[in-house]
Every structure is written in C-alpha cells, then in structure tokens.
C-alpha cells in the first residue's frame, strides 16, 4: 500500500473540508482497503468517516426509509424498522458478502464504489431511491436512476460525500441473486419492486453497471407473476461474459432471477 | 506520518504509534505479538484473520490499524478464560475434530462465536451459510459444522 495522510474528522462538514485534491473517503473499507493493498488505488489523503455520528442510523419518515451512508450492512439486515417497512432491503443487506464484510461494509461505501456486481445498487435502482450528497456548502438529492454512470462510475463530483439514502416503501419487493460462489458477488442479481401499477426491475452483475430491465418491467406491469417475468427474452447485447458465465447465460439468468424475485415478492 | 492508536485488546489497554497504512492484523501480530490471528489469503476471501471489533466479527486484514483506534478488540487469545480454560467453542472444535492443519481455526472460532451470538440455535444450513466467509483448505467443513452444533447445544 502506498503511504497517505490520515484524517478522521468528527463531522460531515469537516470531512468535506478535508477532501482536497485526490483525497478519498474511507467508509467501511471492504473494497477500498483491499484495492489500496493491491495498489489498484492510491490517495494522498484518506479521510476516515467512521467517527461521524451524523452519517449513521436508520429512520422511517412517512413512506420513506432513510439510511445514513455509514450504516453497516449488518445493521440494515437486523433493523426491525427496515424488516418491517422494506423486508427485501434487509434481506439484500443480509446477503452481501459474508458476516465479517457485513459488519464493516456500509451503504454509502457500496454505492460510491459502484461495483458492477454489488447488491446495493440494485436496491437503489429497483426502489428508485434518492441519494443525498454534499460538496462544499452545497447539498443535493440525486435520483437513483441518474446515480450510476458506468463501470465503477457515479455522478458524484470529486470530494462529494454521500450523507444518506432515502428508499421509498413499495407495496412489495424482493431481491434474488445468483451468487458467484467464490466472491459471493452477484453473477446476476435482480431487484423487483411494485408501487401500485408501476413495477421496477433492476439488474446487477450482468452489465458494466446496474441497469433497469424495461422489457420485464413492461411485462410485469401487465401481469405481476413469476411466469410473466420468466417469459421475457432478454437480449445478450452488452452483457458481461467471462469464465463464470457467457453473455447469453447472463441474459437468460436475468429472466430466471426476475421470475424468482416476483415469486418471493408475492410471498 | 505516524498516528498514535489506543485500543483495548483482550481486556488490556494497548497503544502504538503506527504508519496509517498499517493493517490491524499486522498491529496485532507484529507489534502486540498476538500471532493467533492468522494472515491467510490477505485479500479478504479466507477469514483466517477474523477478530471481534467492539463485539462484531471483522477481517483484520481488511482494515487499517487506525480504524481500530478507541475500539475494543478480542482475538483468539482473548477467548480463553481464566486459568487457560478454553472457550466452549474451542472445546467443541477439539471434541469434534473441527480442525486438521489448524490454520483457519482461529478465524473459524471467532466467526462461529459471532454466528451463535446472533443466532443461538442455528440450523445446519444456517451454520454453513454463516461460515461462508471462512475457508478451510483442508476442507474439514463437516466437523467444523458439528463443532458449532455442539457448542450451540451446550450453550
């Protein structure tokens, strides 16, 4: 690991103030620390967010669940409020990596990293969440649909800090992933959520970035059944292909996982 | 640049002056001489470096020593009770032959303790899922699961 200056501010404002030049924020570090060890990532200044109380916590306001960016996956998975309001989200958090990763990894860290096979991005897109982020004195709300822009890329500006995420509570939802057994990342993961007559279907692991499967959404808006999702033939265009599965395999798995997610959502 | 770190390790106060890039596992092993915590893969796959940070299992190779500043850390050495009495999970691993070469064992035991803390009466499937983050290259999983079942039954 290359050397860096370490800072551990106690407020979000101080963290944003510390983030000059090529500084990086350290959330749970479950991807960043490993990337730094491998020298895939380096920084002049590492700003540790773990001492910032205002970035942690879970609350329910109206029809939204609001989760602080530094909330650990295991806290979301075990939260009575999340289990009650959006059980699919607690379930997703409880299936990320392994228990040690879940005890350290955070919501904000996961979505800022934008790993193409990570689980949380599927919930951001599938639920149409809103990401609150700050840079300088400016705070903004970013729609889930516009947040992820490519492979490990987001719309965040340099030095911009995610503070919290607002998840709208759906009528019903579920997340099902077909795991890559060694990494536990999604080979293909599908998040399905129903809001009245609108259905959102988000897919992770299959392309360079999380995306919405609009053909499956259209089919499920007409008939919210596992069969309707599984019957949609998804194009292999733009799908990842590697030693674990071809592009055609992943495309086929999107429909299969979507069908299973609908079955689980219907309980 | 060095940063001073103060933490509690196995009930005792410890402090060290560390380079910010030092990993927690190296602070424990190289500076505090607690070599029970192992470095296996060093890439967060194997779980041999699992310790408890403020009561929760984490991988000590996946965090910086500075991230543990002010924390309460328990390593495999800290599980042993007074008079070198083994922890019930350690006893169960011994009784059930839950180890072969023993390299993964400290991490397995620390993970298994967390598993039972969260779910005191797990099913076999829940044990296998709960230990997903720990790899035994001797592939001795069957007796490891038995050991966790025995520890759960005795608790």
């Amino acid at each position: 690991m290359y050397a860096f200056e370490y800072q551990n501010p106690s407020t979000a404002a101080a963290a944003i103030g510390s983030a000059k030049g090529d500084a990086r924020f350290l959330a749970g570090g479950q991807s960043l620390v490993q990337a730094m060890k491998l020298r895939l990532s380096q920084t002049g200044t590492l700003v540790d967010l773990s001492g910032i109380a205002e970035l942690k916590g879970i609350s329910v306001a109206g029809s939204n669940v609001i989760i602080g960016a530094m909330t650990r996956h295991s806290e979301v998975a075990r939260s009575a409020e999340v289990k009650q309001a959006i059980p699919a989200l607690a379930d997703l958090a409880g299936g990320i990596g392994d228990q040690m990763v879940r005890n350290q990894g955070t919501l904000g860290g996961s979505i800022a990293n934008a790993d193409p096979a990570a689980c949380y991005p599927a919930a951001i897109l599938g639920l149409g969440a809103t990401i609150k982020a700050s840079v300088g004195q400016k705070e903004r709300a970013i729609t889930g649909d516009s947040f992820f822009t490519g492979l490990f890329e987001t719309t965040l500006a340099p030095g911009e800090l995610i503070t919290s995420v607002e998840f709208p509570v759906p009528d019903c939802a579920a997340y099902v992933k077909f795991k890559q057994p060694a990494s536990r990342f999604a080979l293909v993961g599908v998040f399905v959520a129903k809001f009245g007559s609108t259905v959102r279907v988000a897919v992770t692991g299959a392309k360079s970035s999380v995306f919405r499967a609009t053909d499956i959404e259209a089919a499920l808006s007409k008939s919210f059944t596992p069969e309707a999702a599984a019957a949609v033939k998804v194009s292999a265009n733009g799908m990842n292909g590697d030693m674990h599965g071809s592009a055609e395999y992943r495309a086929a798995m999107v429909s299969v996982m979507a069908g299973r997610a609908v079955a689980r959502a219907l309980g | 640049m060095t940063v001073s770190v103060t933490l509690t390790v196995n009930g005792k106060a410890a402090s060290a002056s560390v380079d910010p890039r030092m990993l927690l596992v190296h602070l424990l092993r190289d500076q505090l001489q607690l070599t029970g915590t192992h470095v296996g893969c060093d890439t967060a796959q194997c779980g041999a470096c699992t310790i408890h940070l403020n009561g929760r299992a984490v991988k000590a190779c996946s965090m910086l020593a500075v991230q543990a500043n002010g924390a309460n850390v328990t390593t495999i050495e800290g599980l042993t009770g007074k008079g070198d009495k083994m922890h019930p999970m350690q006893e169960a691993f011994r009784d059930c032959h839950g180890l072969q070469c023993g390299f993964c064992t400290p991490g397995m035991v620390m993970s298994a303790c967390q598993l039972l803390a969260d779910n005191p009466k797990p099913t076999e499937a829940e044990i296998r899922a709960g230990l997903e983050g720990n790899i035994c290259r001797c592939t001795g999983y069957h007796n490891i699961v038995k050991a966790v079942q025995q520890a759960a039954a005795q608790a």
Side-chain angles (χ1 to χ4, degrees), chain B residues 95-111:
Chain B
D95 290 351
C96 300
H97 304 283
L99 61 154
Q100 292 180 43
C101 84
F103 194 88
C104 73
T105 312
M108 281 286 181
V109 169
M110 298 309 284
S111 250

Side-chain angles (χ1 to χ4, degrees), chain B residues 41-53:
Chain B
C41 65
D42 201 23
T43 51
Q45 317 283 318
C46 82
C49 64
T50 301
I51 53 125
H52 291 178
L53 181 82

Side-chain angles (χ1 to χ4, degrees), chain B:
Chain B
M1 179 191 187
T2 59
V3 176
S4 103
V5 177
T6 306
L7 62 169
T8 305
V9 182
N10 299 332
K12 290 186 202 136
S15 59
S17 183
V18 302
D19 185 318
R21 62 185 150 164
M22 175 185 268
L23 297 173
L24 177 59
V25 71
H26 293 138
L27 171 66
L28 294 172
R29 287 178 55 84
D30 303 342
Q31 295 211 11
L32 304 178
Q33 312 298 318
L34 294 167
T35 53
T37 303
H38 290 167
V39 179
C41 65
D42 201 23
T43 51
Q45 317 283 318
C46 82
C49 64
T50 301
I51 53 125
H52 291 178
L53 181 82
N54 298 324
R56 305 291 301 168
V58 299
K59 293 174 193 169
C61 87
S62 283
M63 63 181 291
L64 303 168
V66 287
Q67 287 178 278
N69 195 16
N72 194 347
V73 169
T74 305
T75 68
I76 188 75
E77 290 92 341
L79 277 191
T80 312
K82 287 209 169 66
D84 286 339
K85 189 172 161 21
M86 284 203 291
H87 185 276
M89 188 63 76
Q90 292 172 306
E91 290 278 10
F93 268 67
R94 187 176 65 177
D95 290 351
C96 300
H97 304 283
L99 61 154
Q100 292 180 43
C101 84
F103 194 88
C104 73
T105 312
M108 281 286 181
V109 169
M110 298 309 284
S111 250
C113 287
Q114 162 87 81
L115 173 65
L116 291 194
D118 286 353
N119 182 4
K121 297 290 173 206
T123 63
E124 182 184 336
E126 286 168 344
I127 294 171
R128 290 182 186 274
L131 294 178
E132 247 183 355
N134 295 79
I135 294 175
C136 167
R137 273 306 62 142
C138 306
T139 70
Y141 297 105
H142 200 60
N143 285 349
I144 290 169
V145 172
K146 271 199 223 163
V148 180
Q149 285 173 320
Q150 178 178 310
Q154 287 174 350

Side-chain angles (χ1 to χ4, degrees), chain A residues 124-228:
Chain A
I124 298 288
L125 221 53
L127 290 167
T130 302
I131 294 108
K132 296 277 173 67
S134 292
V135 63
Q137 303 295 317
K138 252 179 37 204
E139 195 185 335
R140 65 170 173 152
I142 307 164
T143 62
D145 282 325
S146 64
F147 185 77
F148 299 101
T149 54
L151 184 72
F152 293 105
E153 279 184 3
T154 69
T155 185
L156 290 171
E160 189 165 19
L161 177 71
I162 300 170
T163 51
S164 67
V165 180
E166 274 186 33
F167 293 94
V169 176
D171 302 339
C172 65
Y175 175 68
V176 173
K177 71 170 161 174
F178 188 67
K179 270 194 269 192
Q180 207 280 43
S183 73
R184 302 168 204 101
F185 275 91
L187 200 65
V188 172
V190 177
F191 197 105
V192 170
K194 188 171 186 297
F195 296 86
S197 58
T198 306
V199 178
R200 296 175 68 100
V201 178
V203 182
T204 188
K207 288 189 178 178
S208 58
S209 177
V210 65
F211 66 96
R212 284 174 65 186
T214 46
D215 290 355
I216 301 180
E217 289 180 353
L220 289 174
S221 300
K222 290 198 197 89
S223 163
F224 194 74
T225 59
E227 295 73 26

Side-chain angles (χ1 to χ4, degrees), chain A residues 68-84:
Chain A
M70 280 297 290
T71 309
R72 316 274 176 190
H73 306 328
S74 60
E75 292 165 346
V76 174
R78 290 183 295 150
S79 159
E81 287 155 301
V82 179
K83 279 192 210 169
Q84 210 261 324

